Amino acid sequence: MNSTSSPFPDRIELRGEGLVLRDWTEADLSAMPDLFDDPDVAYWTPIVSPFDEAAARARLVRDRQLRAEGTTILLAITTDGSAPLGEVMLRRSPEGTEIGYAVGPAHRGQGLAARAVRVIAAYAFEELGADQVILELEAENAASVAVATKAGFSLLDVLPIEGEEKGRPFVLQTWGLRRAS
């Protein structure tokens, strides 16, 4: 896809649930390692580890490329539009519309992930016409299972996804949230 066929606008800012989800900027590069260079992020997500400022720059470049291709958006989770506290992702694929997230260790326990997931799910339903959004989670990741539950997702009766990432095997369950009728 080229940028003219991307379903995503060049700039995105979503507001709701006391959050502002916004585009990552060059000014965020120095804050990203504090959010993503964390053992939990390294273990449970495909985000590179260690995560330094070079990794932040590469992630920003990749974010812009994926948006232009029309497949994925990565947005900073903020409460006021300024300091990033984490990230929420929306990926469109032939298999469906998937959401992912990571919250920096200093900002966990505030409900940021569940709120960000609900805000970006609403965007997927209202702006992209998705009928369902999904989360793919490891059952052992209690924090992410709690986010799925708090955000209104239900475990779907589909085969688990098995794979390997960063040298460790994983089994993902699929959780879904349908558009309200």
Side-chain angles (χ1 to χ4, degrees), residues 98-116:
E98 179 187 357
I99 295 173
Y101 48 85
V103 173
H107 311 291
R108 295 183 186 141
Q110 302 172 42
L112 295 170
R115 291 186 285 153

Side-chain angles (χ1 to χ4, degrees), residues 14-134:
L14 307 177
R15 293 177 176 268
E17 303 225 12
L19 299 178
V20 178
L21 307 181
R22 62 159 176 84
D23 296 314
W24 287 104
T25 68
E26 299 281 332
D28 297 321
L29 292 174
S30 63
M32 291 171 84
D34 288 339
L35 302 175
F36 302 133
D37 193 36
D38 171 70
D40 286 333
V41 172
Y43 188 83
W44 297 114
T45 77
I47 294 174
V48 299
S49 179
F51 194 97
D52 56 14
E53 199 159 333
R57 183 164 300 285
R59 189 158 181 85
L60 183 62
V61 168
R62 184 76 174 135
D63 165 37
R64 291 173 178 167
Q65 177 186 9
L66 293 170
R67 181 179 301 189
E69 292 170 0
T71 60
T72 305
I73 52 172
L74 302 171
L75 299 175
I77 300 170
T78 76
T79 55
D80 59 3
S82 57
L85 310 173
E87 174 177 86
V88 65
M89 177 224 38
L90 179 75
R91 177 176 30 234
R92 296 178 56 140
S93 71
E95 296 80 33
T97 304
E98 179 187 357
I99 295 173
Y101 48 85
V103 173
H107 311 291
R108 295 183 186 141
Q110 302 172 42
L112 295 170
R115 291 186 285 153
V117 165
R118 286 190 297 263
V119 170
I120 205 156
Y123 173 81
F125 296 140
E126 296 163 13
E127 300 297 324
L128 304 178
D131 291 323
Q132 177 175 261
V133 293
I134 61 170

Side-chain angles (χ1 to χ4, degrees), residues 127-149:
E127 300 297 324
L128 304 178
D131 291 323
Q132 177 175 261
V133 293
I134 61 170
L135 300 170
E136 294 175 342
L137 313 172
E138 293 184 62
E140 298 81 15
N141 187 343
S144 280
V145 170
V147 167
T149 303

